[in-house]
């Protein structure tokens, strides 16, 4: 028979939660807020034993207290008055999961200045106003955590800030928007066009009625600005990110890419080169054997290349109620630990001022699809335009698509952006070229 006393000692933590609870105010009870309430209830025992404190949910601020909710919260805890959280001295931690910039930013600043720790999932606020948020945190001697603001449940923020902090990061390449990844996956697997895939994403609740923030790459650009600021310890804003969305992608490009052993992804890339940091979000063909090519559906991934760690990939769910709540609750527990320790967590880590570079000066291989007149001499004209612009062709594939029309798919050798832009302008001017249907970059060879 087992020694029950020894067994009990092994499973019982040395310290049990103190009776003094930490009060937490919640701003927002939508997708993420409901997940937070659910997780705090379902894993209460483990969470409280791990932080050694009871966590007590205080007021919950919503727009409409009478709305039906997916989680049970006593009606008298719901309020439309943010002051119930922000002005209550017994609330030590504010969880902001209401979204949007205003009034979320003002609420976050108010909470921090009055010394309350803030946990937020708000990428818009952190990407655009991070500097003000950190200044308020310093002024109030309070902590701010935002793990859920990038890639939902994937623990990338703290990994970059702490676990990988001893590295010089050379490059980050991520799939940071689950909606566009879902759309590209549908197009690849089912051969549907962009509109059909967007409609399917909307039907399943993955895309908004107006999907432009995702499809045009704005969402990924904000997340990339946050990640790059941490990875390179210098503040970058969404406006520093070169951005192209997936609006011009056709299932024909995806099919051609497949034949060449590539998968098309909306990549968010941050690279540290000699002159500075270049940030870009655009569709890119990724070799099928690369780990990023196997990131499908709504999943997110971040591929980190550091001088010490080498290559590391973080993969998981970038959105959803419980995956995002996983990150929020992890931050909340860290905030409780800092309250108990009496110290302060890592604040702003932007200690350098590194220039943000434009795309000029960068070089890539390009995939170009042209619709041309099917007649003798056209290929020579196209080769002439490319040659004069200094673009070398690696391969050409020609296929007839109608009576007197042909489709040409060219892949170039690595070429500077300016040269490629000049070549595309020249091709558009050719009478024999009916349309430059697509021009996408191929992911860097050393990714
Ligand atoms: N959804 C995800 O998977 C996900 C993933 C990562 C990060 N995030 C981020 O998490 C945040 C919340 O997203 P969500 O999807 O949970 O949003 P949501 O479902 O729209 O919920 C927003 C909540 O905030 C409340 N609210 C909004 N504006 C308010 C105001 N002015 N005053 C009082 N209450 C207000 C709403 O009240 P009512 O319920 O009464 O309308 C609702 O409960 C956003 O910053 C988002 O970018 C979301």
């Amino acid at each position: 028979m087992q020694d029950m006393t020894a067994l009990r000692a092994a499973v019982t933590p040395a310290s049990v939660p103190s009776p003094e609870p930490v009060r937490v105010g919640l701003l927002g009870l939508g997708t993420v807020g409901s997940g937070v309430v659910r997780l705090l209830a379902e894993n209460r025992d483990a969470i409280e034993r791990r932080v050694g404190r009871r966590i007590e949910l205080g007021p919950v601020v919503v727009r409409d207290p009478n709305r039906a909710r997916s989680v049970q919260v006593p009606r008298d805890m719901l309020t439309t008055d943010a002051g119930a959280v922000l002005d209550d001295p017994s609330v030590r931690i504010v969880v902001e999961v209401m979204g949007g910039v205003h009034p979320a930013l003002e609420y976050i600043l108010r909470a921090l200045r009055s010394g309350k720790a803030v946990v937020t999932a708000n990428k818009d606020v952190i990407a655009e106003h991070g500097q003000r948020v950190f200044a308020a945190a310093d002024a109030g001697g309070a902590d701010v955590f935002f793990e859920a603001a990038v890639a939902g449940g994937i623990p990338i923020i703290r990994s970059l800030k702490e676990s990988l902090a001893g590295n010089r990061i050379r490059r980050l390449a991520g799939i940071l928007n689950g909606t566009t990844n879902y759309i590209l996956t549908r197009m690849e697997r089912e051969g549907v066009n962009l509109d059909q895939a967007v409609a399917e994403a909307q039907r399943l609740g993955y895309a908004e009625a107006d999907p432009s923030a995702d499809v045009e790459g704005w969402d990924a650009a904000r997340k990339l600005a946050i990640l790059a600021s941490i990875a390179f310890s210098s503040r970058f804003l969404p406006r520093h990110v070169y951005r192209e969305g997936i609006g011009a992608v056709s299932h024909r490009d995806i099919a051609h890419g497949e034949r060449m052993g590539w998968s098309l992804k909306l990549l968010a890339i941050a690279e540290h080169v000699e002159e500075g940091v270049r940030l870009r979000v655009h569709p890119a063909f990724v070799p099928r054997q690369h780990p990023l090519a196997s990131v499908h559906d709504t999943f997110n991934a971040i591929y980190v290349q550091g001088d010490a760690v080498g290559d590391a990939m973080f993969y998981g769910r970038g959105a959803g109620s419980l995956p995002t709540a996983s990150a929020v609750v992890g931050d909340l527990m860290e905030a409780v630990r800092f309250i108990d320790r009496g110290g302060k967590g890592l604040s702003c880590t932007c200690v350098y001022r590194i220039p943000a570079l434009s795309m000029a000066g960068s070089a890539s291989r390009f995939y170009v699809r042209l619709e041309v007149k099917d007649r003798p001499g056209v290929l020579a004209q196209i080769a002439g335009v490319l040659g004069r612009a200094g673009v070398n062709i690696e391969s050409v594939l020609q296929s007839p698509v109608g009576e007197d029309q042909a489709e040409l798919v060219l892949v170039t050798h690595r070429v500077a952006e300016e040269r490629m832009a000049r070549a595309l302008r020249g091709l558009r001017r050719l009478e024999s070229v009916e349309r430059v249907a697509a021009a996408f970059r191929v992911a860097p060879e050393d990714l």
Side-chain angles (χ1 to χ4, degrees), residues 160-242:
L160 286 173
K161 273 195 170 187
E162 298 179 11
S163 315
L164 295 171
N167 282 256
R168 248 193 303 225
I169 304 291
R170 188 166 64 83
R171 181 190 285 135
L172 291 174
I175 293 173
L176 300 179
N177 182 269
T179 307
T180 43
N181 204 49
Y182 175 84
I183 291 167
L184 293 174
T185 303
R186 289 274 79 71
M187 291 174 76
E188 182 175 297
R189 288 197 180 145
E190 281 144 40
V192 296
N193 65 33
L194 182 76
D195 292 345
Q196 287 170 301
V198 169
E200 177 70 359
Q202 284 167 326
R203 196 181 62 76
L204 292 169
Y206 298 149
E208 306 278 335
D210 172 6
S212 52
D214 294 323
V215 169
E216 292 173 13
W218 295 104
D219 175 80
R222 287 182 198 119
K223 293 167 178 169
L224 186 66
I226 297 174
L227 287 185
S229 299
I230 299 168
F232 305 119
S233 304
S234 176
R235 182 156 309 284
F236 298 103
L237 298 171
R239 66 181 161 81
H240 295 133
V241 181
Y242 170 82

Side-chain angles (χ1 to χ4, degrees), residues 49 61 118 123 150 158 162 190 246 287 329 336-338 430:
R49 281 175 182 268
V61 180
V118 168
K123 60 188 162 282
V150 179
R158 195 162 307 136
E162 298 179 11
E190 281 144 40
I246 61 165
V329 170
V336 174
R337 289 190 193 104
F338 275 105
L430 280 182

Side-chain angles (χ1 to χ4, degrees), residues 397-408:
L397 182 87
Q398 177 166 358
S399 41
V401 287
E403 273 283 287
D404 50 6
Q405 205 191 42
E407 184 176 71
L408 272 184

Side-chain angles (χ1 to χ4, degrees), residues 84 98 130 175 207 243 267 291 342 351 353 355 363 411 428 433 437 444 446:
M98 55 192 277
I175 293 173
R243 186 187 47 78
L267 284 193
V351 293
R353 274 170 175 262
V411 178
R428 285 192 187 99
V433 172
D446 58 344

Side-chain angles (χ1 to χ4, degrees), residues 52-106:
R53 275 270 224 156
R54 283 203 298 124
I55 294 173
E56 182 184 289
L57 195 59
V60 178
V61 180
V62 292
R63 253 181 316 220
D64 176 6
N66 298 315
R67 240 184 69 183
R69 308 271 162 194
S70 62
V71 285
Q72 296 284 334
V73 173
R75 174 64 182 78
D76 62 357
M77 281 174 65
L78 297 178
T79 173
T80 56
D81 173 19
V85 166
L86 302 173
D87 301 331
D88 178 348
S90 74
V91 170
R92 302 290 303 274
I93 303 171
V94 175
V95 174
E96 184 280 306
V97 282
M98 55 192 277
V101 173
H102 305 290
L105 171 64
E106 289 72 25

Side-chain angles (χ1 to χ4, degrees), residues 184-374:
L184 293 174
T185 303
R186 289 274 79 71
M187 291 174 76
E188 182 175 297
R189 288 197 180 145
E190 281 144 40
V192 296
N193 65 33
L194 182 76
D195 292 345
Q196 287 170 301
V198 169
E200 177 70 359
Q202 284 167 326
R203 196 181 62 76
L204 292 169
Y206 298 149
E208 306 278 335
D210 172 6
S212 52
D214 294 323
V215 169
E216 292 173 13
W218 295 104
D219 175 80
R222 287 182 198 119
K223 293 167 178 169
L224 186 66
I226 297 174
L227 287 185
S229 299
I230 299 168
F232 305 119
S233 304
S234 176
R235 182 156 309 284
F236 298 103
L237 298 171
R239 66 181 161 81
H240 295 133
V241 181
Y242 170 82
R243 186 187 47 78
E244 262 176 50
I246 61 165
V249 174
S250 144
H251 68 274
R252 295 190 71 80
D253 302 310
I254 292 179
H256 284 307
E258 260 191 303
R259 274 192 289 278
M260 294 188 259
W262 297 338
S263 190
L264 192 69
K265 297 291 179 193
L266 182 66
L267 284 193
I269 303 176
E271 281 167 310
H272 200 324
V273 295
E274 214 169 294
E275 311 79 41
V277 165
R278 181 170 291 115
L279 306 174
R280 50 196 169 117
V281 169
H282 56 68
F285 283 109
V286 179
R288 210 174 291 138
Q289 64 276 14
H290 192 281
L292 284 171
S294 58
V295 178
H296 297 302
D297 296 310
T298 56
F299 279 88
N300 281 197
I302 300 104
Y303 197 79
V304 181
Q305 297 179 290
D307 62 348
V309 73
D311 293 359
M313 187 156 106
F314 296 76
Y315 168 86
R317 294 204 177 273
S321 184
L322 282 177
T324 311
S326 158
V328 172
V329 170
D331 278 354
L332 175 55
M333 292 167 71
E334 191 68 348
V336 174
R337 289 190 193 104
F338 275 105
I339 287 172
D340 281 345
R341 257 183 245 154
K344 191 167 155 355
L346 266 183
S347 185
C348 180
T349 49
C350 295
V351 293
Y352 299 115
R353 274 170 175 262
I354 304 176
L357 305 174
S358 73
M359 286 297 275
S362 92
S364 308
R365 283 162 82 207
F366 274 82
Y367 156 102
V368 181
R369 181 165 61 88
L370 304 173
E371 287 164 11
V372 299
K373 296 200 166 120
D374 195 4

